[in-house]
């Protein structure tokens, strides 16, 4: 849809049934890639999530921060090591992860949302014992955690009181050790635990691309086939796998949308056409 061909009032009226449908529902929105780098996009997405909150949708934001972690590590002369595309997290790196994810990035997102009155509160998965993990053991990635449980009480309380939780993807194990957690996986687990109606991944790809074309709808079977034959790979794998987990845990729909498109989130939620890829239960 090109909104420019619509009158403003038409655009608002088209949104009305969606506003009605989603009032009181919970959306989990994960930011990654370009949405976290570009000044203009960062401001825009902050306005978009505030608008969702203001019309009565419970919004939870989860963010990544890979590029800034690498950049601060470089400044501190801490070597960045990747194992099969995943960051190896030793103790020094974990300190940087915590400074960046639970510190600078988290507070920057909160600040941007609160300029517009969005009532954001920045916390990490460590707070409220929220994201419970154990050491990831399929390969040695150091202090990388695998989500085993989500304690949703704190988030639900914040939402009930009208706050907009902004969550840094870190977790804690039963012995009090802190871990770095993949943001996509944290988003999927959280969405399942709080019975979210929607989970939206905002990334710097149009959506899921198969043989050069954007695929508007995908089912579980298609996803498993595309992973098996390598058509879905790299950073797209944790998104689609955690999308399937979230759907199995009761989330209604998962969207992978292009965060580089202005107001992609609003277009996806409030227009008939939508943008990006929608993953649905069969
Ligand atoms: N079939 C596919 N369709 C689209 N993207 C794919 C596909 N297979 C692999 N990818 C890769 O997945 C990437 C998206 O994941 P990526 O981890 O880079 O983004 P992000 O999670 O938004 O960012 P970050 O991890 O930095 O927070 C795309 O840029 C693309 O390189
Ligand atoms: Mg990623």
């Amino acid at each position: 849809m090109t909104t420019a061909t619509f009158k403003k009032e038409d655009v608002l009226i088209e949104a009305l049934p969606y506003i009605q449908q989603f009032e009181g529902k919970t959306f989990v929105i994960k930011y990654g890639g370009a949405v976290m780098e570009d000044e203009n996009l960062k401001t825009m997405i902050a306005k978009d999530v505030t608008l969702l909150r203001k019309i009565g949708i419970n919004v939870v934001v989860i963010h990544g921060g890979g590029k800034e972690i690498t950049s601060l590590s470089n400044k501190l002369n801490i070597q960045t090591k990747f194992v099969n595309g995943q960051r190896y997290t030793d103790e020094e790196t974990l300190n940087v992860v915590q400074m960046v994810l639970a510190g600078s990035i988290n507070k920057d997102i909160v600040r941007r949302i609160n300029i517009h009155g969005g009532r954001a509160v920045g916390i990490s998965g460590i707070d409220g014992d929220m994201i419970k993990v154990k050491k990831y053991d399929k390969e040695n990635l150091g202090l990388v955690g695998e989500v085993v449980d989500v304690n949703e009480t704190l988030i639900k309380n914040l939402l009930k009181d009208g706050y907009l939780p902004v969550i840094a993807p870190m977790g804690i194990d039963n012995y009090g050790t802190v871990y770095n957690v993949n943001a996509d996986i944290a988003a999927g687990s959280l969405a399942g635990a709080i019975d979210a109606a929607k989970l939206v991944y905002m990334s710097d790809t149009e959506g899921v691309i198969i043989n050069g074309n954007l695929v508007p709808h995908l089912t579980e079977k298609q996803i498993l086939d595309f992973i098996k034959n390598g058509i879905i790979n790299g950073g797209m794998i944790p998104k689609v796998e955690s999308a399937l987990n979230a759907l199995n845990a009761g989330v209604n729909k998962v969207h992978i949308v292009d965060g580089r498109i202005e107001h992609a989130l609003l277009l996806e939620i409030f227009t008939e056409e939508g943008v990006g890829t929608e993953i649905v239960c069969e």
Side-chain angles (χ1 to χ4, degrees):
M1 182 182 86
T2 50
T3 39
T5 61
F6 279 71
K7 287 193 288 192
K8 277 186 186 150
E9 56 271 34
D10 290 336
V11 175
L12 287 166
I13 290 300
E14 187 184 346
L16 184 59
Y18 297 100
I19 295 174
Q20 250 179 318
Q21 184 186 347
F22 296 131
E23 190 179 358
K25 299 276 179 5
T26 301
F27 291 2
V28 173
I29 297 160
K30 189 259 171 168
Y31 302 177
V35 189
M36 311 218 36
E37 309 297 326
D38 182 285
E39 228 6 72
N40 186 31
L41 290 175
K42 286 197 268 194
T43 300
M44 193 150 14
I45 182 93
K47 286 185 187 170
D48 290 358
V49 295
T50 305
L51 181 78
L52 296 180
R53 183 70 199 96
K54 294 281 179 195
I55 60 171
I57 295 168
N58 299 313
V59 180
V60 177
V61 167
I62 301 199
H63 57 85
K67 287 207 181 109
E68 290 200 34
I69 293 167
T70 302
S71 138
L72 183 59
S73 298
N74 291 343
K75 278 186 206 152
L76 298 173
N77 281 324
I78 296 170
Q79 266 199 330
T80 304
K81 188 170 129 193
F82 284 93
V83 178
N84 292 329
Q86 299 216 66
R87 183 182 304 275
Y88 182 86
T89 307
D90 58 17
E91 261 179 52
E92 267 192 321
T93 305
L94 186 81
N95 282 335
V96 176
V97 167
Q98 188 153 319
M99 280 188 253
V100 171
L101 284 184
S104 52
I105 290 190
N106 187 274
K107 299 315 161 199
D108 184 64
I109 294 173
V110 166
R111 174 186 74 80
R112 285 173 195 272
I113 294 173
N114 287 349
I115 294 170
H116 308 291
R119 303 191 75 203
V121 172
I123 49 179
S124 77
I126 305 163
D127 297 283
D129 225 16
M130 187 190 340
I131 300 182
K132 298 306 300 252
V133 298
K134 63 173 190 182
K135 186 174 162 32
Y136 181 78
D137 59 8
K138 291 187 192 74
E139 54 200 324
N140 184 16
L141 299 174
L143 292 165
V144 169
E146 183 181 330
V147 182
V148 288
D149 195 19
V150 174
N151 180 356
E152 70 281 12
T153 320
L154 176 60
I155 296 195
K156 284 198 167 164
N157 283 340
L158 287 170
L159 291 173
K160 184 163 61 59
D161 290 339
Y163 290 105
L164 193 164
V166 175
I167 297 168
M170 303 196 65
I172 188 156
D173 73 6
N174 283 338
Y175 310 100
T177 304
V178 167
Y179 290 82
N180 183 12
V181 181
N182 178 291
D184 293 336
I185 295 171
S189 308
L190 208 83
I194 60 174
D195 306 314
K198 268 188 201 293
L199 165 61
V200 185
Y201 290 107
M202 310 215 49
S203 186
D204 41 14
T205 164
E206 286 167 74
V208 179
I209 315 267
I210 305 295
N211 302 327
N213 298 312
L214 171 70
V215 185
H217 303 275
L218 274 179
T219 61
E220 177 163 9
K221 189 183 171 308
Q222 290 173 310
I223 286 173
L224 296 176
D225 285 346
F226 290 138
I227 292 177
K228 208 186 289 168
N229 57 30
I231 293 176
I232 290 179
N233 56 63
M236 191 51 73
I237 291 180
K239 285 185 219 309
V240 292
E241 284 187 342
S242 49
L244 296 179
N245 289 339
L247 291 171
N248 287 326
V251 173
N252 297 348
K253 255 186 201 174
V254 182
H255 303 269
I256 297 174
V257 305
D258 192 343
R260 300 165 302 183
I261 299 176
E262 297 200 346
H263 300 296
L265 187 61
L266 301 184
L267 292 172
E268 178 57 53
I269 293 169
F270 296 122
T271 65
E272 278 152 32
E273 294 82 0
V275 289
T277 301
E278 181 179 89
I279 304 174
V280 289
C281 286
E282 263 131 297

